[in-house]
Amino acid sequence: MGAFAQGEVQFRNFYSQSTPPVDARVYLYNLDVTPGDYAGLRAALIGGPTTGTPANVPGSWSGAGPLAALGSLALMYNPTITTLTWTGFRAAPNEGYVAVVNVPRTVLGVDWGGTARVQMVSWYGPFNTWVEAFSAWEAGTPGVGVGASNPLTLTLPSGPTDPNLAYLTGLQSFVVMIIPEPTTFALAGLGAAALLHFRRRN
């Protein structure tokens, strides 16, 4: 495998023509979900050799285990637009599905025909990279959300002309965990205080 070896994965969290089909909607956990909310949601693919460590956002998906917090898988780029690091989501009624069609992502360090570890990540907030968003979320920045899917092990196509494309087969739905705004904390505190006062009176 050469230093610049790289195969490709199709970035879709919904695709009915693959076998089995892919249907893994992304949800916003503790945000009032309206069509406009998804305008602030972004997604990317991270991936690399199977020795890479996936990211882990506790509670983001049902099978999350003791993985590294941020992980070591690298951001995957659109091979034709190398500066594109993330994508947005579709409008209503298809919120939760990425707004890309037949746009592959390059897996650095894994050659065509190789086996890669791939993961979908998503964040809520004005960040251009997953690392920036995760760092802000980990620091407790209000209104920032992050989520990470289950890690996938995929066999990449044998080359650019191979018709057997690698889709995100086995991808599961996951949620983006939002850190509440300070006003939300304040309201929660007031509610708890009122409940305590009510119980003392009774």
Side-chain angles (χ1 to χ4, degrees):
M1 180 165 48
F4 298 101
Q6 51 192 30
E8 292 178 357
V9 172
Q10 302 296 313
F11 188 9
R12 285 186 176 189
N13 62 333
F14 178 83
Y15 188 59
S16 61
Q17 298 176 46
S18 61
T19 305
V22 177
D23 188 353
R25 189 170 187 163
V26 176
Y27 295 92
L28 296 173
Y29 173 60
N30 50 345
L31 190 70
D32 292 331
V33 178
T34 65
D37 290 332
Y38 278 88
L41 194 62
R42 298 178 176 184
L45 282 185
I46 55 177
T50 54
T51 53
T53 304
N56 181 35
V57 179
S60 186
W61 64 281
S62 61
L67 307 175
L70 184 56
S72 62
L73 299 181
L75 192 67
M76 295 166 59
Y77 290 87
N78 176 343
T80 58
I81 313 173
T82 56
T83 56
L84 180 60
T85 58
W86 58 269
T87 185
F89 283 78
R90 297 183 183 277
N94 297 309
E95 305 98 328
Y97 297 108
V98 293
V100 288
V101 178
N102 288 333
V103 179
R105 292 294 189 275
T106 299
V107 190
L108 296 177
V110 182
D111 207 348
W112 294 104
T115 303
R117 177 167 286 169
V118 175
Q119 190 176 25
M120 180 176 172
V121 293
S122 185
W123 62 92
Y124 188 86
F127 304 97
N128 285 321
T129 69
W130 159 248
V131 172
E132 292 172 353
F134 187 92
S135 298
W137 180 81
E138 198 171 36
T141 306
V144 175
V146 297
S149 78
N150 58 310
L152 304 172
T153 301
L154 302 177
T155 300
L156 305 187
S158 60
T161 60
D162 188 344
N164 299 307
L165 304 179
Y167 291 97
L168 300 179
T169 303
L171 184 69
Q172 299 175 22
S173 289
F174 63 97
V175 297
V176 173
M177 314 292 285
I178 306 292
I179 294 178
E181 298 287 352
T183 52
T184 305
F185 284 121
L187 288 172
L190 287 173
L195 181 61
L196 182 62
H197 178 70
F198 177 78
R199 285 182 174 174
R200 283 180 177 173
R201 290 189 61 184
N202 291 297

